Amino acid sequence: KDPSLSVSGPKSIDQCAILHLKAASDSPRPPTFLWRCLNHAGLNTALQAFTASQVLLAGGTPDMPTLDFEYEIGVTATDLFGSVSTEVIFRVLKASAPAPQLFFQPASSGVTRSETVEARALTVFSQCTDATSQMLFQWTQVSGPTTIPAQYLGTISQLRIPGGTLQAASTYVVALGITMSDDLSKTSSSEMVISVETLPLVARIKGGAPRRASTRAILTLDASSSRDPDVSSSAAQGLSYAWACTLASDGAAQACRDTSGALLALASAASLEVPAGALSATTDAPYEFTVTVSKPGKSPAGYTLALTLVEQAIPNVELTAAGDGVRQNDGSFKLNANSVFSLTAACSATGTQTWSITPAVALAAPAFSLSAQGDLFVYLGAGSNALVPGNSYRITSECAVAGDVETVTGSAQQVVVVNSPPLGLPCETCLIDGDDSTCVTTGEPVFDLFRISCDNWADSDGGLEYRFGYEADGKVIAFDWSSASSLDVRLPSGTIVLVAQVRDALGALSGIMYSQVAVAAPAARRRLLSVSGGLASDAGNSDSGVEGEGGRALLATVVFDWTRAETLMTTELQGGNYGTLNELASSLILEADRQALEGSLTVTQAREQKDTIFTSLESAVAAVHEAQSMSSGYACTSLNLASAISADPAHLDSALLSRILAHVALLVSDEHATVASLLPDCAASALSFMANALHAGDASGNVITRVEEGVAATFRETAAGLISGQAASSTSNASSSSISRASFSGTEWAALSLPAPEGNGLVVEYALPAAFATQAALDAQSPVDVLLAAFHWVPEVGGVRAVAPLVTLLFSQNGQAVPVRDLTDPISISIPFNAAQRAIPAFQGKCVFVNGSTISTFGVTTLHTATGVTCRTSHLTSFTVVPADAAESTTPAPASSGTTAASGEGQGSGGETTTTPAPTTVLATVLPATYTQMVVSLPLSLAEFTSAKQDGFRAGVASAAGVTLDKVFITSVEEVTARRFSFRSRRLLATSIEVDFRVAADSAELASALAAKLDAGSLNAALAAQGLPEATVVSAAAVFENGAAQPSEAAEDTTPAPASDSPPLAAIIGGAAGGGAGIGLL
């Protein structure tokens, strides 16, 4: 076929600008390009000198002398076989007035109705003036058959139109206008064409192909999943159905006949039912049932299922596919070697289910996961190469059932075709120096531009995308996927290894390609400075090498101009070039780290630079979030940078750390539901940042609580993208984690282990009791999501330093956290000691759970092992190990794993964290040895339970019990909420708090008398007198003496106590229990 061609570049330039145009072709070998100008002879002559994919005309473009004139530039591509592409015409206006340049990535967009349109505009300030200011943006619709909703035509440089918005078989034109805020006369605009393709009809028969069935059973074939992809799946599809049945006989296909010899009756409906005994058993060839779906204006589509019939009664097996595979018209699935793909086999009878694959592949290999019950087959392709690209495989599920005479077997098969990755020439990295004749691989840090290029790649599936990144000083920076085959990037100092990868429309990945450049500062010079804490400068250059925070120092080299770097960031931020800003920020973060390591920057200076860098990143993310234009790739890159900027704890003060925590919460919360889920590598970046935050923070700054909330949000958003049998795992020297999804019927979620962050072969693991599913009220019809995470660094809590990792274990189902508390059979969590403690003979530690700024052993017992401890716990939260003689901060009731605030809650607009002030009720340093304990629920939030209300609560309890105020202690307050899960609003429907309190007594007898007084009626009367709402008893008054429960004579409380794990409201609305983190009061 003739090569396809597209051109990208600015639609307008001014008198000072360069002109850079780039043509892209799908030819697998480098084509020859022919450039020309259709309406200006001088420019035509200049363009004929270019035969490569790019045109670069020098600043001022002297070959384009006519101002306020639109030049028509044409280009064709000729491949190795002489095939010539259709000429593409690209128009460029040369304006007389200084104006910013504007061009799109991609230059145009071709999508299907279900796909999201994502594009960004790159802006460049005019070189005719030094003036820069905030750029103002406005997207508008120029044309199209339907109106694009206004909320998708925003005021930032990025465009995002969700799938399902545009009409199929249509063309839309949108325009972006930009204006400089300090001079409204300086404007530019450009248009982008969005082509919405028409997709063919899709015919399907439920259950997979081919299959075995019995002549004795009714045969049901269901084609109701057939659809028109250009129509919403929830709308009527408007399809007509026609069925056909053939059987090969003497080499020819004959129409099927029933056992009486008559033609088989076939209905014209979505479902076909063949009576039992209507067809004879097959011999040499199977029956082939074909459904053809049709619709006016579209070509019909067919689907054929091969069916083998046997005389004996056999179980029916149906296959359901999930994951990355794409169903082909012949019923096969096309998937990539790196795909995640699963088949679930449903057997109509109880039997033994097994899997096989042809050609033979070792199913015991790590690339495959088979459930213990045999009903689930999962291919975990990433990095395995277990399935060979270009090959086809037949996966068979068999279900063997013991019959009265013999074992009978039913089966179903699925063919998968492994997609081949794109092909092309190796990518290379060169300095952009205006000379394309040689590739220069050296340059100056940050201020020189390098171009990573992947030219002349092709694939039969089309839709090529490219991803670039680099590694410096052991740190990896990865950018978003883009249709652009090159990236201009600024790099930090050092030997930099650049990486590139290409994927096709179905996601098949090329190998990773590497290139290397050497980046170093210009020749050094020496001088003597007087320094007073900030960065010194001389003739626009910032010097470094300061040995102290002040005084005189000999600076060995003039290596970097941080002021100039800050100007670059400001320019990209004002220009709305948020992707480019991320690329620039990555190099500046690593440059600051390297200079701090070499002593060129002091710790204070490095911290100041990172604060400045983060301020720009923070502003960009807030703008994208507010515009509801967050893409998965942009969020992922931003999380990667959050991890990089926080890697050195010395470079973070408490204020900066708090801002980055809010920033990451904004990225992972997906408040506007623009990101379907966090990809595993994005989750790894988020959890890496959480580890860095724990390293840099302390308990007094509420860091642990905010990290726990971030971990829970990361868990929820990542699990949403997993299929049963899949796990997203990451390990570093700071943390290790696993987020997995397993079918309820399997046992994979009942126990799990992962390497401890410190390594050395040690593991963190858990095991659930047999009754866990019942006690935690799990839904037997839904997969179970599990997060197990271990963080090496734990801030000091209450003056106590942990001697083991901080371990978090969470469960969820259907996007909702599973509350785990008050288990009668404990969960076992094994945690190894840190190396220093393992080196001490007979070192003893104890398990504690961490609740914000406190630790406690409430509900936790400790079993010692050879390398650490096993925590046996009745509830779930975060656990660690402290020295056995360490004092507890307090003994609060733990917040359950279901009470972590949902993303977006507790967060102000723009990602600012709103923190509820801790209540100020004062507890005695030593709690009473003998007391009555009770738990009640109040219809208040934590924020509403102010100090005054706490004092009123204590006064009410004292009045009801007939004791003085100093006898009443509030030991913990926990917020419990029921919510309707909404990706957009996550709106809370009910909020309450559970208050755990004690009333001191001098003896067990007096405590029993107090318990008798604390019935629901008396307590509520006393609380009403204090202006408090009615309380509901959660746990009736109980008597304790020296920490042990005693028989109580308290009157039985008849007030119904709601189950905290499953609020009735949540059950009614189809939600699940949730809530906010509990707090212990001091």
Side-chain angles (χ1 to χ4, degrees):
K1 72 179 183 69
D2 295 340
S4 67
L5 192 61
S6 63
V7 179
S8 61
K11 295 287 188 178
S12 65
I13 59 174
D14 62 21
Q15 298 182 64
C16 305
I18 65 170
L19 177 63
H20 183 198
L21 302 179
K22 183 173 183 180
S25 168
D26 65 353
S27 173
R29 289 184 172 86
T32 300
F33 294 87
L34 177 63
W35 295 86
R36 67 175 183 140
C37 180
L38 283 68
N39 60 351
H40 191 279
L43 179 58
N44 185 57
T45 300
L47 291 177
Q48 288 176 356
F50 294 91
T51 58
S53 62
Q54 299 186 52
V55 167
L56 182 62
L57 300 182
T61 54
D63 296 310
M64 303 169 66
T66 307
L67 301 179
D68 298 319
F69 179 77
E70 188 173 66
Y71 294 82
E72 296 181 355
I73 299 173
V75 60
T76 57
T78 304
D79 66 16
L80 184 67
F81 303 102
S83 298
V84 181
S85 71
T86 301
E87 185 175 35
V88 174
I89 306 299
F90 191 85
R91 295 172 174 84
V92 180
L93 172 68
K94 184 169 183 179
S96 59
Q101 292 185 60
L102 169 66
F103 55 97
F104 295 115
Q105 286 189 342
S108 61
S109 180
V111 296
T112 62
R113 183 184 179 278
S114 61
E115 292 177 327
T116 296
V117 177
E118 290 185 343
R120 63 172 179 164
L122 295 181
T123 61
V124 179
F125 288 98
S126 172
Q127 299 301 305
C128 294
T129 173
D130 293 333
T132 62
S133 66
Q134 181 64 49
M135 204 80 79
L136 305 178
F137 300 90
Q138 182 59 63
W139 290 90
T140 57
Q141 181 177 356
V142 177
S143 63
T146 60
T147 300
I148 301 174
Q151 67 262 34
Y152 305 138
L153 300 173
T155 55
I156 66 171
S157 61
Q158 296 178 358
L159 177 70
R160 184 181 187 278
I161 304 176
T165 304
L166 305 181
Q167 180 177 294
S170 302
T171 298
Y172 294 77
V173 178
V174 294
L176 177 62
I178 58 173
T179 304
M180 293 185 67
S181 59
D182 65 346
D183 186 349
L184 301 183
S185 68
K186 295 178 180 176
T187 65
S188 289
S189 66
S190 191
E191 296 181 355
M192 186 176 76
V193 177
I194 304 171
S195 300
V196 188
E197 302 167 3
T198 299
L199 291 175
L201 298 178
V202 175
R204 297 285 181 263
I205 299 176
K206 182 182 177 183
R211 287 161 51 186
R212 294 180 79 234
S214 172
T215 58
R216 303 181 189 181
I218 297 173
L219 175 64
T220 301
L221 301 179
D222 183 1
S224 61
S225 60
S226 302
R227 61 183 298 257
D228 180 354
D230 293 330
V231 175
S232 171
S233 58
S234 61
Q237 300 296 298
L239 300 178
S240 298
Y241 299 83
W243 290 88
C245 177
T246 60
L247 181 67
S249 177
D250 297 327
Q254 305 291 330
C256 298
R257 296 182 178 274
D258 61 22
T259 51
S260 69
L263 289 174
L264 183 66
L266 300 170
S268 298
S271 183
L272 173 66
E273 190 171 279
V274 179
L279 289 173
S280 302
T282 54
T283 53
D284 298 328
Y287 292 103
E288 292 192 346
F289 283 87
T290 299
V291 64
T292 300
V293 296
S294 57
K295 185 177 183 178
K298 288 202 168 187
S299 298
Y303 185 93
T304 299
L305 181 146
L307 187 68
T308 299
L309 291 182
V310 296
E311 291 286 356
Q312 68 264 45
I314 63 172
N316 182 50
V317 179
E318 289 190 352
L319 300 179
T320 303
D324 299 335
V326 177
R327 176 85 74 172
Q328 305 297 296
N329 289 335
D330 62 359
S332 66
F333 271 94
K334 193 172 187 179
L335 52 87
N336 304 315
N338 56 291
S339 290
V340 175
F341 177 78
S342 73
L343 291 171
T344 301
C347 183
S348 61
T350 301
T352 301
Q353 294 180 249
T354 58
W355 295 92
S356 61
I357 186 169
T358 306
V361 175
L363 294 182
F368 300 96
S369 175
L370 308 182
S371 64
Q373 291 74 23
D375 61 341
L376 181 65
F377 171 100
V378 183
Y379 172 63
L380 304 167
S384 68
N385 297 317
L387 300 183
V388 179
N391 284 6
S392 295
Y393 297 85
R394 187 179 299 275
I395 303 170
T396 302
S397 171
E398 291 190 341
C399 180
V401 178
D404 295 337
V405 178
E406 61 180 350
T407 298
V408 292
T409 301
S411 67
Q413 297 180 337
Q414 179 61 60
V415 174
V416 297
V417 179
V418 186
N419 185 24
S420 296
L423 297 174
L425 299 176
C427 304
E428 67 173 359
T429 303
C430 305
L431 178 71
I432 300 177
D433 59 358
D435 181 6
D436 292 337
S437 61
T438 58
C439 179
V440 178
T441 58
T442 59
E444 183 180 353
V446 177
F447 305 118
D448 276 344
L449 274 170
F450 290 84
R451 177 169 294 146
I452 320 174
S453 300
C454 298
D455 293 328
N456 303 303
W457 281 73
D459 188 270
S460 59
D461 294 312
L464 293 184
E465 290 190 319
Y466 305 80
R467 190 179 192 185
F468 303 103
Y470 62 89
E471 181 178 352
D473 296 329
K475 298 168 185 172
V476 177
I477 301 294
F479 302 124
D480 193 7
W481 288 96
S482 165
S483 60
S485 61
S486 65
L487 176 71
D488 296 347
V489 63
R490 302 175 188 273
L491 300 172
S493 301
T495 299
I496 311 300
V497 177
L498 294 108
V499 296
Q501 197 167 25
V502 187
R503 71 181 181 188
D504 66 14
L506 300 182
L509 293 170
S510 72
I512 298 176
M513 291 161 282
Y514 300 91
S515 54
Q516 184 171 297
V517 298
V519 185
R525 56 190 176 91
R526 295 173 177 269
R527 65 186 180 85
L528 198 62
L529 283 183
S530 176
V531 183
S532 57
L535 288 178
S537 63
D538 175 37
N541 289 325
S542 290
D543 287 38
S544 50
V546 184
E547 296 181 358
E549 294 296 318
R552 295 172 63 83
L554 181 65
L555 302 188
T557 59
V558 180
V559 294
F560 204 74
D561 185 343
W562 283 100
T563 302
R564 182 183 171 195
E566 184 175 346
T567 300
L568 284 176
M569 282 195 299
T570 301
T571 299
E572 300 297 356
L573 182 63
Q574 290 179 337
N577 299 324
Y578 301 139
T580 308
L581 176 65
N582 277 347
E583 294 152 13
L584 172 61
S586 70
S587 66
L588 292 174
I589 291 168
L590 299 190
E591 184 66 27
D593 284 340
R594 172 174 274 262
Q595 291 190 22
L597 183 65
E598 294 174 344
S600 302
L601 287 180
T602 66
V603 169
T604 298
Q605 292 169 342
R607 187 183 303 131
E608 290 172 351
Q609 292 308 321
K610 288 192 175 180
D611 191 290
T612 299
I613 296 166
F614 178 70
T615 297
S616 293
L617 296 176
E618 184 180 37
S619 298
V621 166
V624 174
H625 171 77
E626 184 177 353
Q628 301 186 27
S629 295
M630 189 75 70
S631 68
S632 174
Y634 181 77
C636 194
T637 300
S638 298
L639 288 169
N640 185 217
L641 293 180
S643 174
I645 205 168
S646 60
D648 191 332
H651 298 167
L652 302 179
D653 57 24
S654 59
L656 179 56
L657 177 59
S658 180
R659 288 166 57 204
I660 304 177
L661 279 163
H663 175 81
V664 170
L666 193 68
L667 289 166
V668 300
S669 66
D670 190 26
E671 179 181 340
H672 299 305
T674 59
V675 178
S677 63
L678 278 181
L679 297 175
D681 56 342
C682 308
S685 292
L687 294 173
S688 173
F689 164 73
M690 305 299 173
N692 295 343
L694 289 171
H695 194 192
D698 57 56
S700 63
N702 210 25
V703 170
I704 294 179
T705 298
R706 295 176 69 182
V707 165
E708 287 182 320
E709 292 172 353
V711 168
T714 301
F715 171 38
R716 180 187 62 248
E717 298 295 335
T718 306
L722 302 182
I723 63 173
S724 291
Q726 184 182 2
S729 302
S730 63
T731 302
S732 71
N733 62 350
S735 66
S736 57
S737 65
S738 172
I739 299 174
S740 59
R741 170 167 290 184
S743 63
F744 178 89
S745 60
T747 58
E748 296 85 354
W749 52 272
L752 185 69
S753 65
L754 71 153
E758 192 184 7
N760 297 325
L762 301 175
V763 296
V764 173
E765 56 188 352
Y766 75 86
L768 300 178
F772 177 80
T774 301
Q775 294 183 28
L778 294 184
D779 177 5
Q781 304 305 313
S782 301
V784 180
D785 301 332
V786 185
L787 173 134
L788 179 61
F791 299 96
H792 181 67
W793 293 297
V794 187
E796 248 184 41
V797 182
V800 178
R801 175 63 65 183
V803 297
L806 180 73
V807 176
T808 299
L809 177 61
L810 300 175
F811 292 87
S812 72
Q813 281 190 304
N814 302 314
Q816 294 289 289
V818 173
V820 179
R821 57 181 303 167
D822 302 327
L823 299 178
T824 55
D825 299 323
I827 298 170
S828 296
I829 303 175
S830 297
I831 307 176
F833 289 141
N834 293 334
Q837 278 65 47
R838 293 199 305 274
I840 302 173
F843 179 82
Q844 295 289 296
K846 65 178 178 182
C847 295
V848 295
F849 76 85
V850 182
N851 191 19
S853 59
T854 64
I855 58 173
S856 174
T857 56
F858 186 97
V860 183
T861 58
T862 303
L863 298 177
H864 290 91
T865 66
T867 58
V869 300
T870 295
C871 304
R872 294 172 60 81
T873 174
S874 62
H875 58 85
L876 284 184
T877 177
S878 294
F879 300 86
T880 190
V881 184
V882 299
D885 56 356
E888 296 182 35
S889 311
T890 182
T891 54
S896 76
S897 64
T899 60
T900 301
S903 65
E905 296 159 17
Q907 303 292 323
S909 62
E912 295 179 0
T913 301
T914 52
T915 305
T916 303
T920 56
T921 300
V922 177
L923 300 186
T925 304
V926 180
L927 292 168
T930 303
Y931 53 90
T932 293
Q933 182 169 6
M934 190 173 182
V935 181
V936 298
S937 173
L938 292 172
L940 299 170
S941 67
L942 279 176
E944 293 169 330
F945 197 48
T946 61
S947 297
K949 283 188 171 63
Q950 294 166 27
D951 292 338
F953 181 89
R954 292 177 62 227
V957 173
S959 174
V963 298
T964 57
L965 187 63
D966 63 332
K967 297 290 187 181
V968 180
F969 306 86
I970 298 176
T971 57
S972 74
V973 180
E974 178 184 346
E975 188 174 272
V976 179
T977 61
R979 76 183 80 251
R980 182 195 302 274
F981 185 75
S982 165
F983 277 109
R984 286 202 173 274
S985 64
R986 295 188 172 91
R987 179 165 56 92
L988 299 182
L989 297 183
T991 303
S992 64
I993 54 173
E994 290 183 0
V995 184
D996 190 328
F997 66 89
R998 301 178 186 181
V999 182
D1002 294 331
S1003 65
E1005 292 75 19
L1006 287 176
S1008 295
L1010 294 176
K1013 295 179 181 181
L1014 291 174
D1015 62 276
S1018 300
L1019 179 59
N1020 276 319
L1023 293 179
Q1026 298 294 327
L1028 290 169
E1030 182 175 347
T1032 302
V1033 175
V1034 175
S1035 180
V1039 176
F1040 290 79
E1041 184 175 26
N1042 296 323
Q1046 303 295 313
S1048 174
E1049 299 175 4
E1052 182 177 356
D1053 180 34
T1054 58
T1055 304
S1060 61
D1061 286 351
S1062 51
L1065 179 60
I1068 291 170
I1069 64 175
I1079 57 172
L1081 305 182
L1082 294 177

